[in-house]
Amino acid sequence: YDYVDLLLNSTFCLIPRGRRLGSFRFLEALRFACIPIVLSNGWVLPFSEVIDWNKACIQVDERQLFDVPDLIDAMSDEKILAMKQQCIFLWHTYFQSVNRIVLSTLEIIRGRIEQANPAQNLLWNGIPGALAALHTPPVDGIQDYPFHFSRISKSHVEETFTAIVIIRSYQNTKESSLFYRLMNTLTSISAIRKIWIHWKCNQSVIALDALPRILPNISIVISDFRNQNWYLNNISQLSHTIETQAILFLDQDSTYNKHEILFAFDIWRTFTDRLVGYSSKNHYWNEAYKRYEFTSKLLNYYSIIMLDGAFMHRHYYNLVHQFFSDVAVNQIQRLHNCLDIAINVVISYVTNKPPIKLSRQKFHKSSYEGLPSSDRAFKAERTKMGQRQKCLNYLSNLFGTLPLKRSYLRYDMLKDPAAGDGNS
């Protein structure tokens, strides 16, 4: 018989003691999702101070060997499946390489020295695992991790969010302008706690009293980011401005209505560890040129959600600056259209999950579709596509691969005939 085939087709694996208490067959069983039945009195399983091994293996007293069949028969199919899934998770997260074993060991030692709070330990036994927090900013409690809320009811997630509006060019605040209408929409949404305007255009910063405000309790803050070379550095220093778990990103010419924004927020509250938004893009490998390509074609699947109209957890906001070196951050800033992709890559790397796409109430064509190739808007879009392609390949070189995940999942807003509005 082939040993690997036997492991792959086995549900349980007996792990008796070897010459010592431990046995290398324990890790072999984990690797192939064969639930270990450990028969070795006194053996302390690896990383047992942080890993709950009761979720992945069965420990039996050596003197009770003949009771094993009865223990197995008493287990439900659901529990067996859950234990096999946990074996796969633990193997891939902490034991599949020497590098991961060393990182896990160092993380445990760091926790002992710093007496890390239980928020860190809770991450060891569920996706994405404690090693995902190595690159992330420190948190005060488990509620500050987006992964935590993905496992519980969304009733525990905050019902307010912060809207970030990016201003790249500014003409006026006449009622006919898209920016003016966007501000009217945002200041009418009671779920918004704060509107944070990122002023990145060359014109003078607008006065607050020149902006429309329907609900007076919504706070509006304007930050001057006209020095774009230091944009990421500045937002990391001002991250305390965000007081909510959820962040909504919008461009100044966004045309999302109130129902679309609230629909996106409602879906995000179910998937707090994901990037949730409307504008989807894709990537693919070009074998002829040996590089990744970026595409805006309308396909059934996607791997990237652009930030305009997208929600994400504030935990990820600092992640790009925390995750990459200063050299990498500067390169991302120089590419201009790279931040959207960098955030998608980091979130997919940490969670091993794709973003989530939403559909709008009405189909909106891209502003450059149908334009002649000589048109300025068309040329500008081609330049953006080129920068995004460079960004994809730059990030691929940094990671050694491109951790973006594809998905076919899409959430559509249903229309209520009685109300005449879109409802989720």
Side-chain angles (χ1 to χ4, degrees):
Y1 293 98
D2 183 81
Y3 181 59
V4 172
D5 285 343
L6 282 174
L7 286 173
L8 286 170
N9 289 282
S10 298
T11 303
F12 299 94
C13 288
L14 285 174
I15 312 295
R17 68 163 67 229
R19 292 183 178 179
R20 307 179 184 84
L21 286 176
S23 171
F24 65 89
R25 303 204 183 278
F26 179 75
L27 291 184
E28 288 182 341
L30 284 184
R31 179 182 181 183
F32 294 102
C34 183
I35 300 172
I37 300 177
V38 180
L39 296 160
S40 180
N41 293 358
W43 182 22
V44 179
L45 296 181
F47 307 149
S48 58
E49 66 182 90
V50 289
I51 293 178
D52 183 0
W53 285 110
N54 291 325
K55 294 182 178 180
C57 73
I58 302 170
Q59 292 181 275
V60 180
D61 191 295
E62 294 172 349
R63 295 164 293 185
Q64 295 179 306
L65 173 63
F66 296 105
D67 293 335
V68 170
D70 293 332
L71 289 174
I72 293 174
D73 289 340
M75 294 176 64
S76 65
D77 291 341
E78 291 78 8
K79 184 174 182 181
I80 291 173
L81 177 60
M83 293 183 75
K84 288 176 74 69
Q85 290 174 330
Q86 190 70 359
C87 287
I88 295 172
F89 162 73
L90 292 174
W91 164 259
H92 284 284
T93 307
Y94 306 117
F95 299 105
Q96 69 168 320
S97 66
V98 173
N99 180 57
R100 287 189 175 268
I101 292 173
V102 171
L103 286 175
S104 301
T105 304
L106 293 175
E107 182 67 4
I108 292 173
I109 294 172
R110 186 193 64 80
R112 291 175 182 172
I113 295 172
E114 298 179 0
Q115 296 183 345
N117 66 50
Q120 292 280 353
N121 288 344
L122 288 172
L123 291 175
W124 281 90
N125 297 287
I127 294 173
L131 297 188
L134 289 176
H135 297 284
T136 62
V139 300
D140 295 325
I142 189 65
Q143 71 279 359
D144 290 321
Y145 280 109
F147 334 118
H148 170 61
F149 288 107
S150 64
R151 306 182 199 133
I152 63 176
S153 169
K154 72 178 184 182
S155 62
H156 293 81
V157 184
E158 290 179 355
E159 297 181 356
T160 59
F161 62 91
T162 299
I164 293 179
V165 182
I166 311 296
I167 307 295
R168 293 185 173 87
S169 64
Y170 178 75
Q171 301 299 328
N172 54 59
T173 57
K174 291 181 180 179
E175 294 187 14
S176 60
S177 72
L178 291 175
F179 174 57
Y180 188 95
R181 279 184 274 178
L182 176 63
M183 290 301 298
N184 261 327
T185 299
L186 294 178
T187 57
S188 68
I189 300 175
S190 58
I192 292 182
R193 186 184 300 181
K194 180 180 292 184
I195 300 172
W196 186 11
I197 297 175
H198 290 192
W199 197 271
K200 297 178 66 177
C201 65
N202 294 326
Q203 291 92 333
S204 299
V205 178
I206 190 175
L208 283 176
D209 56 12
L211 298 173
R213 187 194 299 262
I214 295 176
L215 296 177
N217 59 316
I218 296 177
S219 171
I220 301 178
V221 177
I222 302 179
S223 294
D224 186 355
F225 292 127
R226 282 177 287 184
N227 184 359
Q228 296 193 27
N229 292 332
W230 301 101
Y231 178 61
L232 289 181
N233 305 72
N234 288 336
I235 61 173
S236 66
Q237 294 170 9
L238 296 174
S239 59
H240 61 273
T241 304
I242 302 171
E243 300 170 347
T244 58
Q245 295 164 351
I247 307 171
L248 167 65
F249 288 91
L250 294 163
D251 287 336
Q252 66 185 58
D253 54 356
S254 296
T255 57
Y256 299 101
N257 62 43
K258 179 178 179 179
H259 300 293
E260 290 171 333
I261 291 173
L262 291 176
F263 173 67
F265 183 46
D266 187 56
I267 298 298
W268 177 85
R269 293 180 69 233
T270 305
F271 301 97
T272 57
D273 58 339
R274 313 278 196 100
L275 187 62
V276 177
Y278 290 95
S279 179
S280 64
K281 308 296 179 185
N282 213 332
H283 77 287
Y284 64 94
W285 176 254
N286 188 322
E287 183 62 30
Y289 292 98
K290 304 294 181 183
R291 69 187 183 195
Y292 285 102
E293 304 275 357
F294 180 91
T295 178
S296 297
K297 290 182 180 179
L298 294 177
L299 302 168
N300 291 330
Y301 54 88
Y302 59 92
S303 58
I304 298 168
I305 293 293
M306 305 306 286
L307 289 185
D308 182 30
F311 277 92
M312 75 174 183
H313 196 285
R314 67 180 177 194
H315 180 70
Y316 297 129
Y317 196 54
N318 271 341
L319 213 50
V320 172
H321 192 269
Q322 298 280 339
F323 203 93
F324 298 115
S325 66
D326 291 340
V327 174
V329 168
N330 290 334
Q331 178 65 15
I332 289 170
Q333 292 181 133
R334 279 194 293 269
L335 290 172
H336 294 300
N337 290 286
C338 193
L339 182 59
D340 299 65
I341 298 173
I343 288 177
N344 275 270
V345 167
V346 169
I347 294 177
S348 292
Y349 177 82
V350 170
T351 64
N352 200 33
K353 297 176 183 178
I356 291 179
K357 175 179 172 56
L358 312 174
S359 66
R360 301 189 64 177
Q361 289 180 306
K362 294 181 180 179
F363 178 75
H364 291 259
K365 276 189 175 183
S366 300
S367 58
Y368 60 90
E369 286 186 19
L371 294 175
S373 58
S374 59
D375 189 90
R376 180 180 296 179
F378 183 87
K379 290 181 178 178
E381 187 62 27
R382 287 290 299 271
T383 300
K384 288 182 181 178
M385 294 287 285
Q387 290 176 335
R388 288 166 179 161
Q389 182 173 299
K390 289 180 181 178
C391 177
L392 277 175
N393 289 282
Y394 177 72
L395 293 172
S396 172
N397 290 333
L398 283 181
F399 282 85
T401 183
L402 205 54
L404 293 172
K405 307 295 178 184
R406 286 198 176 94
S407 175
Y408 291 84
L409 177 66
R410 187 185 75 190
Y411 283 85
D412 294 344
M413 185 186 300
L414 300 180
K415 192 169 185 179
D416 183 352
D421 296 322
N423 295 289
S424 57

